[in-house]
Amino acid sequence: MHQERLVRTNDFALKIANVNGTGSASANGLLMQAIFRMGIPVSGKNLFPSNIQGLPTWYEVRVNKSGHTSRALDYDLVIAMNAETYARDVKEVRSGGYLLYDSTWPLDEKLLRPDVTFLGVPLAKMCNEIFKESRERILMKNIAYLGALMALLDIDTAIIDQMLEEKFSKKKALMESNHRALKAGFDYARDNLDCPLPIRLEKMHSTDDRILIDGNTALALGCVYAGATVAAWYPITPSTSVMDAFSQFCKRYRKDPETGKNNYCILQAEDELAAIGMVIGAAWNGARAFTSTSGPGISLMGELIGLAYYAEIPAVIADIQRTGPSTGMPTRTQQGDLLACAYASHGDTKHILLFPASPDECFTAAVQAFDLAERFQTPVFILSDLDIGMNDWVCPRLKWDDAYRPDRGRVLDAAQLEALGKYFRYSPENEDQVAARTLPGVSAKGSFFTRGSGHNKLGHYTEIPDEYQEVMDRLLRKHQAAARAVPPAIVRGPHGRTPGAKVGIVSLGGCDPAVREGMDTLDDAGIATDYLRVRAFPFGREVEDFLAAHERIFVIEQNRDAQLKSLLILETNVSKDKLKSVLVYGGFPLSSRHVVDAITKAMGTKTMES
């Protein structure tokens, strides 16, 4: 007996199952863009393997008129393009949902479900008849299923046509191939299937003042805006596209308009150790310099990060986190580098960390990171992750203010040095516990010896315990002073109301959409929660206040070892008995259901469906 069919407008999730290396990314990107241009809030998650070709890949699209963007775990429509994963794909269709498949070959009757509507479209057969080249047939089969979705979901065909014109205006043959494949899929679905489906799209205006962008691109643009002119890196997933984007932006915006010469330097180093060394050297010479990497790169950079901390040289490190340890799963997301970055290097070190939760925050975090690095003369880490960095998000338009001027911190010029009787690199310090630095070549009076070995407050070599400890104590006070300068944590109540619940949630970064959606679901069920989103380390006073104000606190993060919880216990006065971990670390983005189920179970309430 068939279940009643789902009826939803602008509120459903679909999943496209394919094979890595078949060119499905182009069709998936067109689908996302089309929904976005129809004014409908949408989010996409690309779940792809780390090998080049042959393994299963999935692309998840969530359409939600209320603007929720966390990952869905139930799918109203699955597009099954990989026969090897049919059983799994059929299982993941929500009861009353739909499965679109290539009916060129018959579907095994064992896979059929009475509560699912199966939509057969002979995609391979159509493409074999239309196209001659085998590779073209494979690629265009993906465009053909997009054509079928246009009819099934009621996608505005004019928007698709416009996007193809934008993408292939200089490649007429490719444009023609795409149009033919789209038309074949569209016509077949319209003529043979009930179109549109009860789950469908309808134009809105919720994205009119927004953009669709990934975090790595936004971060790279933020580095340009912040004045970065030097970058050194070694390729590593998922951070490589940061430097790809930075390179493209520099080619456009970092050229001298009169001479045409480049005003930037981007170096691909032989490894991550060399990359951070180049960054530190460039920053010591006065450039705004950064590197992008992931967890394995952070491990290799450890010793030189300690040099920058101890010698007090600014540096910006963008860590796009992935799963570990070791190679781990390079194309899966996690928040596993918190402790590694907070205390990077041997000995006693503490670093400034920024935790953006979306691409627009990656843009602003890049600017903040350079200002903080130079103000406090220390390494600053931007901890993004694969989900934020490599997936497209609907975000507010990035704000570019021509009045912005970088905070270069305490840098003495020749005139200021001349006014000094004698210059010492690490004394005297200001209210931030930061001593003035100079740049090479400005004046002989400002020369000093940069050392990673033991030194006193005058910059002289020492192994005297009191002199060593005096410098280390100031570095700790400097880190504590940074708590007043980093972005403060954001506190909110359920449905955006004024906080006041006894139960608190603490989280950070890419967990944010799932936590906010989960809070609303919990509130509707009678469980009121307040939410503290940590945006930086060291923690500000507002973090201590939130922890003290709540009787029970859930710390939600994406790693096995509760690293945010550990930081809170180590760096605040909270009793660890107050804190309960909610840990999701399998490599896929967080869903609001993870939040809701964990908290309702802990509170003794029946688990709710999302």
Side-chain angles (χ1 to χ4, degrees):
M1 183 176 179
H2 285 270
Q3 295 280 338
E4 183 178 347
R5 295 205 303 175
L6 297 169
V7 179
R8 290 181 181 167
T9 301
N10 293 346
D11 185 15
F12 60 88
L14 63 88
K15 188 171 188 175
I16 302 167
N18 219 311
V19 177
N20 204 34
T22 59
S24 58
S26 179
N28 299 339
L30 286 170
L31 175 62
M32 269 283 291
Q33 280 279 353
I35 298 171
F36 171 78
R37 293 192 187 192
M38 289 179 68
I40 307 166
V42 62
S43 59
K45 308 293 185 186
N46 190 14
L47 312 177
F48 60 103
S50 57
N51 74 326
I52 296 174
Q53 189 166 337
L55 287 183
T57 182
W58 290 272
Y59 190 76
E60 301 175 351
V61 177
R62 183 179 182 188
V63 178
N64 185 267
K65 58 190 175 185
S66 300
H68 293 307
T69 59
S70 64
R71 182 177 176 237
L73 295 179
D74 293 311
Y75 306 98
D76 306 286
L77 170 62
V78 170
I79 297 90
M81 300 294 292
N82 182 4
E84 292 187 7
T85 63
Y86 271 179
R88 174 177 175 177
D89 298 331
V90 170
K91 186 177 179 180
E92 290 191 336
V93 183
R94 186 196 296 264
S95 182
Y98 306 84
L99 184 132
L100 174 66
Y101 70 100
D102 186 350
S103 61
T104 302
W105 302 277
L107 195 65
D108 189 339
E109 291 186 0
K110 295 178 182 178
L111 297 173
L112 298 177
R113 284 174 50 187
D115 60 337
V116 171
T117 302
F118 288 80
L119 309 169
V121 180
L123 298 165
K125 180 176 182 294
M126 290 190 303
C127 290
N128 287 343
E129 293 172 352
I130 297 171
F131 304 105
K132 295 180 180 180
E133 300 294 330
S134 59
R135 181 60 180 169
E136 188 177 29
R137 289 170 173 173
I138 293 172
L139 296 175
M140 289 302 112
K141 188 166 73 166
N142 296 314
I143 302 299
Y145 77 63
L146 177 59
L149 290 177
M150 289 167 58
L152 291 166
L153 301 179
D154 210 6
I155 298 173
D156 190 332
T157 57
I159 289 176
I160 296 285
D161 289 341
Q162 181 184 353
M163 288 192 297
L164 291 178
E165 178 67 31
E166 293 170 2
K167 188 173 183 178
F168 299 117
S169 60
K170 296 181 180 179
K171 300 176 181 178
K172 298 299 182 183
L174 273 175
M175 185 185 296
E176 175 62 22
S177 295
N178 277 266
H179 274 299
R180 292 169 69 190
L182 282 170
K183 187 176 187 305
F186 182 89
D187 289 347
Y188 185 91
R190 183 193 57 192
D191 296 341
N192 296 277
L193 304 173
D194 292 335
C195 297
L197 295 175
I199 54 168
R200 58 183 293 271
L201 302 169
E202 188 175 278
K203 280 189 174 181
M204 296 176 63
H205 294 282
S206 294
T207 64
D208 290 355
D209 59 345
R210 307 218 153 211
I211 60 172
L212 198 61
I213 192 171
D214 65 86
N216 285 356
T217 299
L219 194 154
L221 187 59
C223 291
V224 174
Y225 179 43
T229 56
V230 176
W233 67 304
Y234 185 78
I236 181 171
T237 302
S239 72
T240 296
S241 58
V242 172
M243 212 56 74
D244 289 342
F246 183 70
S247 176
Q248 293 303 312
F249 289 135
C250 284
K251 289 175 183 177
R252 183 170 180 180
Y253 299 113
R254 285 269 185 267
K255 283 184 177 291
D256 187 293
E258 295 182 1
T259 66
K261 290 184 178 180
N262 294 336
N263 289 329
Y264 65 93
C265 178
I266 301 174
L267 298 165
Q268 180 176 325
E270 60 267 33
D271 54 34
E272 289 89 349
L273 183 60
I276 189 61
M278 294 173 183
V279 168
I280 293 169
W284 179 75
N285 274 279
R288 285 200 148 183
F290 78 102
T291 187
S292 60
T293 190
S294 191
I298 297 295
S299 299
L300 288 174
M301 293 178 185
E303 183 178 356
L304 284 178
I305 291 171
L307 168 66
Y309 172 82
Y310 193 33
E312 299 183 64
I313 302 170
V316 171
I317 303 162
D319 178 9
I320 317 303
Q321 298 170 93
R322 70 188 205 186
T323 61
S326 186
T327 303
M329 296 187 292
T331 58
R332 296 289 185 258
T333 196
Q334 206 172 76
Q335 296 171 322
D337 298 346
L338 274 63
L339 293 176
C341 291
Y343 306 115
S345 197
H346 53 279
D348 293 317
T349 56
K350 286 187 180 183
H351 303 292
I352 297 173
L353 314 180
L354 302 180
F355 306 118
S358 58
D360 55 302
E361 289 194 2
C362 287
F363 175 80
T364 55
V367 181
Q368 293 163 342
F370 282 102
D371 283 351
L372 288 165
E374 293 201 312
R375 174 176 169 180
F376 290 95
Q377 299 175 17
T378 194
V380 174
F381 293 80
I382 305 169
L383 270 72
S384 178
D385 60 46
L386 183 146
D387 181 29
I388 298 171
M390 294 190 69
N391 287 322
D392 287 328
W393 295 54
V394 177
C395 296
R397 293 183 180 276
L398 306 181
K399 296 180 180 179
W400 192 286
D401 183 2
D402 286 334
Y404 165 73
R405 294 295 179 268
D407 181 356
R408 304 307 305 268
R410 298 187 70 194
V411 184
L412 301 180
D413 59 24
Q416 291 169 318
L417 286 165
E418 188 63 35
L420 290 177
K422 192 171 181 61
Y423 170 71
F424 296 108
R425 173 61 184 94
Y426 301 117
S427 181
E429 67 271 19
N430 64 5
E431 66 278 4
D432 287 334
Q433 304 298 307
V434 179
R437 65 183 177 122
T438 64
L439 301 181
V442 168
S443 170
K445 285 194 171 184
S447 60
F448 62 94
F449 190 79
T450 301
R451 62 173 82 245
S453 54
H455 54 265
N456 61 22
K457 67 179 183 181
L458 304 179
H460 301 155
Y461 178 80
T462 188
E463 292 187 13
I464 299 172
D466 289 347
E467 293 185 347
Y468 166 78
Q469 288 181 198
E470 183 179 22
V471 172
M472 291 298 291
D473 288 347
R474 180 179 62 78
L475 291 177
L476 178 58
R477 293 195 302 272
K478 182 173 75 168
H479 184 263
Q480 293 168 341
R484 301 190 297 269
V486 299
I490 295 175
V491 182
R492 58 161 282 172
H495 289 292
R497 295 198 300 268
T498 302
K502 294 181 179 180
V503 177
I505 296 174
V506 180
S507 193
L508 78 171
C511 296
D512 181 57
V515 171
R516 286 188 286 107
E517 182 178 355
M519 283 179 64
D520 291 347
T521 303
L522 289 167
D523 189 56
D524 292 340
I527 302 176
T529 57
D530 294 337
Y531 173 31
L532 176 89
R533 176 160 71 89
V534 176
R535 295 198 294 166
F537 174 76
F539 303 129
R541 183 70 241 174
E542 73 283 355
V543 175
E544 288 274 12
D545 292 343
F546 184 92
L547 297 176
H550 292 82
E551 298 176 1
R552 193 171 191 181
I553 301 166
F554 294 90
V555 184
I556 300 173
E557 51 188 311
Q558 291 184 272
N559 56 68
R560 185 196 69 181
D561 293 339
Q563 295 186 29
L564 175 58
K565 177 183 173 183
S566 296
L567 266 182
L568 292 169
I569 292 170
L570 287 167
E571 301 289 344
T572 72
N573 294 317
V574 69
S575 168
K576 67 179 181 180
D577 295 333
K578 269 191 177 186
L579 306 180
K580 179 177 177 58
S581 288
V582 176
L583 306 174
V584 179
Y585 50 90
F588 286 165
L590 191 69
S591 166
S592 64
R593 190 189 298 175
H594 294 128
V595 176
V596 171
D597 285 356
I599 292 178
T600 52
K601 182 179 180 180
M603 299 290 291
T605 306
K606 185 178 179 181
T607 302
M608 294 168 289
E609 294 295 327
S610 62

